[in-house]
Amino acid sequence: MTFRKKGSKNPPLLSLEFILQNHADFVACVGMFFVLGLMFEGTAEVSIVFITLQHGVTFPAAEAEAEAEAERATAPKFLYHYGAKDLATVFFYTLVAIIIHATIQEYVLDRINRRMQFPKQRQGKFYESGQFSVFFLVSCIWGTFILVSENCLSDLAVLWKAHTHNMMTFQMKFFYISQLAYWFHAFPELLFQRSRPQELSQQAVYVGLHLFHIAGAYLLYLNHLGLLLLMMHYFVEFLSHSCDLFYFSDEKFQKEFSLWAIVFILGRLVTLIVSLITAGFQLAGGHNVISDDSAEDVNVLAAKIAVLSSSCSIQAYVTWNLFNVQLQRWMEEDAPLQAPSVKKKRIKGRFCRKGTENGVATSNRLLDSPQMRKEKSS
């Protein structure tokens, strides 16, 4: 993504340039309407749908009376499932993501760019890597905390089993809502940041793949498995964009980037292995076509095929992008090596041509000197 530059002159009011320069302020005003709606009784019910998580159920609300009496000793859990109202919540947090994006851009990345004075060709990649590095780092810390708190790492069976009665905890649902909101906000950012046409399709596919896989894990209740795979993917992407930032600051880190490519591929292989083992062997073994709700797991053959194919597709896509980036950088390194030789030839030819011209001029001046004229007359 390329970052727009604010011009010295103020654009006309309500023009496209004015909207692009002040889009974060407009989005903040829209978000404030939903927050202020909580203060009034008539609009509180509508605003709360956008701000708080919906479709919550107090568990065990649907249990039989005998089971409810047996579990009275323990406090009831408030769990969530997904529904149509989640779209309103995703919309609100998409506005929040746009505001956070603009804040990081203005107060962090712009200041670093002014200090480092990157060339125009690298500014777009620097801004992109900076934004993604912050997002991937925060997501990795947050997701790891959820995996530890819900005992996913100690009990691996949780990875292929849905939560009780296809429910999810508050922190799990809020994480997925935030992830969907962030990747949805990337589409308008392509317009706000004025991405070049040759990069627009590639960025749209990159964002669309993330949305497809996160939404698939959310709708199939593969929350824990999707979270684990997402953390592995995000960790690799975070290190990749961190290496890009070091490379932009100093090209001497090119060797480290070449070594990093090996780590990048190994991370993709580990993700594929986890997907194959979990989806191929543990997701309700057998060829059942109908899901069994009492088994509390995803027992659909089509779901297993979708998980495997989607996981393989995104790993193949990001690996192909890595090869393309590496090839472009090798071509950029070879270009300066060939340019000086051509330049020397041109300089040498220019000097030779000037030397011959100077030689002819000096010889003409010698022939026209008074001494040579006397010798000719004698």
Side-chain angles (χ1 to χ4, degrees):
M1 300 179 185
T2 58
F3 180 68
R4 53 173 177 78
K5 289 187 176 181
K6 294 184 178 180
S8 57
K9 297 181 179 179
N10 294 326
L13 188 64
L14 298 181
S15 63
L16 179 61
E17 183 66 23
F18 180 82
I19 295 175
L20 293 178
Q21 290 187 8
N22 301 278
H23 71 275
D25 298 330
F26 294 144
V27 171
C29 292
V30 175
M32 285 301 298
F33 278 112
F34 296 106
V35 177
L36 292 176
L38 297 174
M39 302 175 62
F40 304 97
E41 185 177 357
T43 58
E45 294 182 0
V46 179
S47 298
I48 202 170
V49 175
F50 289 87
I51 298 175
T52 61
L53 301 183
Q54 301 299 311
H55 305 288
V57 177
T58 302
F59 185 82
E63 290 284 6
E65 295 182 358
E67 295 181 0
E69 293 178 357
E71 295 185 3
R72 280 178 183 175
T74 60
K77 297 180 180 179
F78 199 72
L79 303 177
Y80 295 84
H81 57 87
Y82 62 82
K85 293 182 180 179
D86 291 342
L87 297 176
T89 311
V90 171
F91 173 76
F92 176 79
Y93 286 101
T94 300
L95 302 180
V96 176
I98 294 175
I99 298 172
I100 296 175
H101 184 108
T103 303
I104 296 173
Q105 186 76 48
E106 182 175 356
Y107 292 100
V108 180
L109 299 180
D110 282 348
R111 294 183 179 182
I112 296 176
N113 182 37
R114 286 193 295 267
R115 179 176 297 180
M116 300 297 295
Q117 295 181 353
F118 293 112
K120 294 181 179 180
Q121 298 177 353
R122 291 189 176 182
Q123 286 183 8
K125 293 294 183 182
F126 167 74
Y127 287 128
E128 178 183 351
S129 297
Q131 292 285 352
F132 279 135
S133 296
V134 175
F135 168 70
F136 290 139
L137 177 61
V138 174
S139 298
C140 285
I141 296 174
W142 188 7
T144 304
F145 174 78
I146 295 175
L147 289 174
V148 173
S149 62
E150 298 196 4
N151 299 323
C152 296
L153 301 180
S154 59
D155 185 12
L156 296 179
V158 179
L159 296 178
W160 56 82
K161 286 186 178 181
H163 207 279
T164 308
H165 291 279
N166 290 337
M167 294 289 181
M168 65 189 83
T169 59
F170 173 85
Q171 58 182 358
M172 181 69 75
K173 179 167 183 175
F174 188 59
F175 177 82
Y176 274 94
I177 292 293
S178 302
Q179 294 296 312
L180 292 172
Y182 179 86
W183 290 108
F184 270 119
H185 111 281
F187 284 114
E189 284 295 338
L190 295 177
L191 174 63
F192 296 148
Q193 306 297 340
R194 290 183 175 180
S195 298
R196 292 180 294 182
Q198 57 269 26
E199 297 179 354
L200 186 61
S201 59
Q202 182 179 359
Q203 291 290 341
V205 172
Y206 183 77
V207 174
L209 283 174
H210 283 84
L211 276 175
F212 174 76
H213 290 85
I214 295 173
Y218 182 68
L219 296 176
L220 293 175
Y221 289 107
L222 294 173
N223 304 314
H224 298 91
L225 174 61
L227 181 58
L228 178 62
L229 295 178
L230 203 60
M231 289 304 97
M232 297 171 63
H233 171 72
Y234 279 178
F235 180 73
V236 175
E237 288 290 310
F238 166 70
L239 293 181
S240 177
H241 287 287
S242 299
C243 290
D244 287 341
L245 292 177
F246 284 111
Y247 174 76
F248 295 146
S249 61
D250 196 342
E251 293 185 357
K252 69 180 182 179
F253 293 102
Q254 176 63 26
K255 294 182 179 180
E256 285 75 0
F257 182 85
S258 300
L259 294 175
W260 160 245
I262 301 175
V263 180
F264 187 90
I265 296 174
L266 290 177
R268 302 303 170 191
L269 290 176
V270 172
T271 304
L272 285 176
I273 291 172
V274 174
S275 302
L276 289 172
I277 293 176
T278 307
F281 298 99
Q282 300 294 340
L283 279 180
H287 300 283
N288 299 325
V289 181
I290 303 174
S291 62
D292 186 9
D293 295 334
S294 63
E296 298 180 2
D297 55 9
V298 179
N299 195 13
V300 184
L301 181 61
K304 293 189 287 185
I305 296 175
V307 170
L308 290 174
S309 60
S310 61
S311 179
C312 294
S313 63
I314 192 172
Q315 301 307 318
Y317 178 77
V318 294
T319 305
W320 175 253
N321 282 340
L322 173 68
F323 288 144
N324 288 335
V325 171
Q326 184 68 18
L327 288 175
Q328 290 178 1
R329 290 181 179 176
W330 284 340
M331 293 175 64
E332 290 176 359
E333 288 182 352
D334 293 339
L337 296 177
Q338 298 177 359
S341 60
V342 177
K343 193 173 182 180
K344 287 181 180 179
K345 291 181 181 178
R346 291 180 180 177
I347 294 173
K348 185 176 180 181
R350 193 185 307 135
F351 284 147
C352 293
R353 188 164 55 252
K354 287 184 178 180
T356 55
E357 291 175 357
N358 294 333
V360 173
T362 52
S363 61
N364 291 334
R365 283 198 296 271
L366 291 174
L367 291 174
D368 293 336
S369 62
Q371 185 176 358
M372 294 298 296
R373 291 176 183 173
K374 290 180 181 180
E375 291 179 359
K376 286 182 181 180
S377 61
S378 61

